[in-house]
Amino acid sequence: MRTVSGPTDHVVVVGAGLAGLATALHLLGAGRRVTVVERDAGPGGRAGRLELGGYRIDTGPTVLTMPHLAEEAFAAVGDSLHRRVELIPLHPAYRARFADGSGLDVHTDGDAMECEVRRFAGAPEAAGYRRLRHWLEKLYQAQMHRFIDTNFDSPFQLLHPDLARLAALGGFGRLDRQIGRFLSDPRLRRVFSFQSLYAGVAPARALAAYAVIAYMDTVAGVWFPKGGMHALPRAMADAATDAGGEFRWSAEVNALERTAGRVRAVRLASGERIACDAVVLTPDLPVAHRLLGRAPRRAVPLRHAPSAVVLHAGTDRTWPELAHHTLSFGAAWEHTFDELTRAGRLMSDPSLLITRPTAHDLSLAPRGKHLHYVLAPCPNTTAGPAAGTWHGLGPRYRDSLLAELERRGLDGFEASIERELLVTPADWTARGHAAGTPFSVAHTFAQTGPFRPRNLVRGHDNVVLAGCGTTPGVGVPTVLISGKLAAARITGTPRATGARHRPPVLEGQSR
């Protein structure tokens, strides 16, 4: 594994999102002095927090899987995730509701899910689910150590027996077809394939290898941190501070001072200079490239994942049919993916993720109130409406989303709203996210593994990238891994060998 050359005693990490915080903890555990510079007033980055009239809103991801990856970061400094954060296992992990009025609870316990599938679709589908679950476990074991939790220096690293194992499992086929080998009910197939949209690719075109995301969601388990998802980055920042890390809040880096291929210091917008031996950049790729002075050449331009509109709604009531996470599927499927990724149009029959964090933590809302997040995938600003268009389009789309929710049985949703915040691609653009999407670079084949933007920067001997735009990719588990991989580029510390196996059962909890 290639590592940063020269001294690395003092490392500046730019950005206190999950990737930057994981990097900082792993570096501190390896004995480095670490300064984290963050433009916001506190930690989180995409996983931020907003106070709105007594409602405590998570501004980023709402689904936590694979928490043992966060535990690795805490353990690097002799700390513990469970000492810092109370994790609540979600049962069910999701509730799926379909356009025909049917519904299914998605359990991560194999026996419970088999019973639910039998009730929902019959014994043959239940048997297919068991075979699918076994396939997902083998797919995870074939990928995690060799293709996800690893630093790539060359595509030739793919030439390993694990590649043959992955091919034998059908990992290079199409996701929807591979899921169809086990399940014939189209509703069930959606439950185990919609996750490819996290990676920015429609199930019909995604590699079956990306079923590993379905493994994380439907087998390994889903958790909710008490206090909301923002509790995780807050705890990571506290652990890093206790381990000797220094944080500079409300401090934006606007330049890197370079000499002879090395960054010698970062310069803040305030004019302050922070000398360093190495730098880890975690902002979105265009911001990192601007600081570096150029973007690396690629034969084919980067393609970005679809974006999302999120309506954060503080309400005076809730609906008992909503679980903590509810997937509300429209009748259309393949057509909506074409709209998102090819035609650049808003979904005519949207599939929505509705999250109700107050299902497990009433402190996130005023007494007697409730908090709901409604996420609707939409085209990014390259494929669809430009960022400026959303200033007028956003309120109209908000109204159509509320009308759709009421058509799907959430009677009185609009009238119940006391406080709300609408987030559109215009807001993601203002945050510096390329193509107006928080999901960064899509996971096409040409942007996966060794073909994804590397975390070492050519022409800069002491700069490393971390975050969802580099390896291994998008999502809470992968950005935590990206921080560990970035730290390893500096310290040369080998990866934990336990990553090959399935995640450990968390203390006091069952999968």
Side-chain angles (χ1 to χ4, degrees):
M1 179 184 69
R2 290 176 54 205
T3 58
V4 164
S5 62
T8 60
D9 297 328
H10 179 211
V11 184
V12 170
V13 178
V14 179
L18 291 173
L21 293 168
T23 305
L25 286 168
H26 284 286
L27 288 172
L28 288 164
R32 299 312 192 268
R33 177 184 161 215
V34 177
T35 302
V36 182
V37 181
E38 169 57 51
R39 66 179 177 180
D40 292 334
R46 284 172 169 85
R49 166 60 53 81
L50 179 69
E51 302 281 342
L52 187 66
Y55 293 94
R56 300 162 62 202
I57 295 172
D58 283 322
T59 60
T62 61
V63 179
L64 177 62
T65 61
M66 312 288 278
H68 71 283
L69 296 171
E71 178 62 42
E72 285 185 1
F74 284 95
V77 294
D79 210 321
S80 168
L81 169 64
H82 302 289
R83 187 174 77 85
R84 298 274 184 178
V85 182
E86 179 184 349
L87 293 184
I88 302 170
L90 297 186
H91 305 297
Y94 295 95
R95 177 165 294 153
R97 295 168 58 86
F98 301 94
D100 63 2
S102 61
L104 170 81
D105 280 353
V106 180
H107 300 282
T108 53
D109 176 79
D111 293 337
M113 188 60 182
E114 183 178 358
C115 290
E116 180 70 349
V117 172
R118 183 179 293 110
R119 176 201 66 79
F120 179 76
E125 293 295 276
Y129 160 73
R130 273 297 186 184
R131 295 193 302 272
L132 171 63
R133 185 184 179 93
H134 182 59
W135 178 72
L136 291 173
E137 289 175 336
K138 291 196 294 183
L139 198 70
Y140 170 81
Q141 291 165 12
Q143 288 190 77
M144 189 62 177
H145 175 73
R146 184 61 52 184
F147 306 117
I148 298 175
D149 189 7
T150 193
N151 270 315
F152 282 101
D153 292 321
S154 166
F156 292 109
Q157 287 177 244
L158 293 173
L159 302 178
H160 186 275
D162 282 346
L163 186 68
R165 292 179 62 207
L166 185 58
L169 289 167
F172 298 107
R174 295 303 177 190
L175 176 61
D176 60 345
R177 293 179 186 174
Q178 292 297 326
I179 299 296
R181 291 171 48 217
F182 305 98
L183 301 170
S184 59
D185 189 304
R187 298 167 299 174
L188 289 174
R189 291 168 68 171
R190 291 185 187 187
V191 168
F192 291 95
S193 64
F194 82 91
Q195 295 89 347
S196 72
L197 196 58
Y198 296 160
V201 188
R205 297 199 298 276
L207 291 178
Y210 283 109
V212 71
I213 310 175
Y215 168 86
M216 297 175 184
D217 274 6
T218 67
V219 176
V222 176
W223 281 264
F224 173 69
K226 197 74 178 289
M229 283 291 289
H230 182 68
L232 176 59
R234 170 57 65 187
M236 294 174 75
D238 290 344
T241 300
D242 290 349
E246 179 186 359
F247 284 85
R248 307 293 298 277
W249 305 116
S250 302
E252 186 163 3
V253 175
N254 67 357
L256 303 178
E257 185 179 301
R258 298 183 294 272
T259 306
R262 295 184 69 85
V263 172
R264 307 292 179 176
V266 300
R267 289 195 175 274
L268 307 185
S270 64
E272 183 182 355
R273 176 184 184 272
I274 303 176
C276 60
D277 298 308
V279 176
V280 178
L281 300 177
T282 72
D284 213 17
L285 288 177
V287 177
H289 293 156
R290 176 177 56 79
L291 290 173
L292 292 168
R294 65 179 180 86
R297 295 178 182 175
R298 290 181 63 93
V300 179
L302 290 173
R303 287 179 52 192
H304 288 82
S307 186
V309 172
V310 183
L311 175 63
H312 300 278
T315 64
D316 61 12
R317 58 168 293 195
T318 190
W319 292 260
E321 61 266 37
L322 294 177
H324 191 110
H325 297 297
T326 300
L327 295 162
S328 177
F329 290 104
W333 188 238
E334 290 86 356
H335 176 63
T336 59
F337 285 110
D338 284 338
E339 289 174 324
L340 285 175
T341 60
R342 291 184 175 180
R345 296 194 301 267
L346 297 174
M347 292 184 293
S348 55
D349 185 15
S351 291
L352 308 171
L353 173 62
I354 305 167
T355 297
R356 182 166 65 102
T358 44
H360 287 92
D361 190 349
L362 293 174
S363 72
L364 297 175
R367 186 178 180 85
K369 309 300 182 181
H370 301 272
L371 191 55
H372 301 84
Y373 309 146
V374 182
L375 184 149
C378 71
N380 63 42
T381 57
T382 300
T389 306
W390 279 99
H391 297 297
L393 176 60
R396 299 196 303 273
Y397 191 56
R398 172 258 188 204
D399 293 344
S400 70
L401 280 178
L402 291 174
E404 187 64 34
L405 290 172
E406 304 226 7
R407 277 194 295 272
R408 297 184 185 187
L410 300 186
D411 298 325
F413 192 95
E414 182 172 15
S416 75
I417 297 176
E418 294 187 338
R419 294 276 186 166
E420 67 177 277
L421 173 69
L422 185 71
V423 181
T424 74
D427 300 290
W428 305 124
T429 299
R431 290 285 295 173
H433 300 323
T437 173
F439 305 114
S440 193
V441 178
H443 283 263
T444 60
F445 179 78
Q447 297 177 172
T448 295
F451 309 113
R452 198 166 180 81
R454 305 265 182 93
N455 57 7
L456 285 181
V457 180
R458 188 185 299 274
H460 294 78
D461 296 338
N462 63 341
V463 177
V464 185
L465 303 182
C468 56
T470 185
T471 55
V474 179
V476 172
T478 39
V479 298
L480 291 171
I481 293 172
S482 82
K484 179 174 67 170
L485 297 178
R489 289 292 195 185
I490 292 171
T491 65
T493 305
R495 172 185 56 247
T497 56
R500 171 180 287 276
H501 307 293
R502 70 178 60 187
V505 175
L506 294 180
E507 180 180 344
Q509 301 169 356
S510 65
R511 190 159 43 247

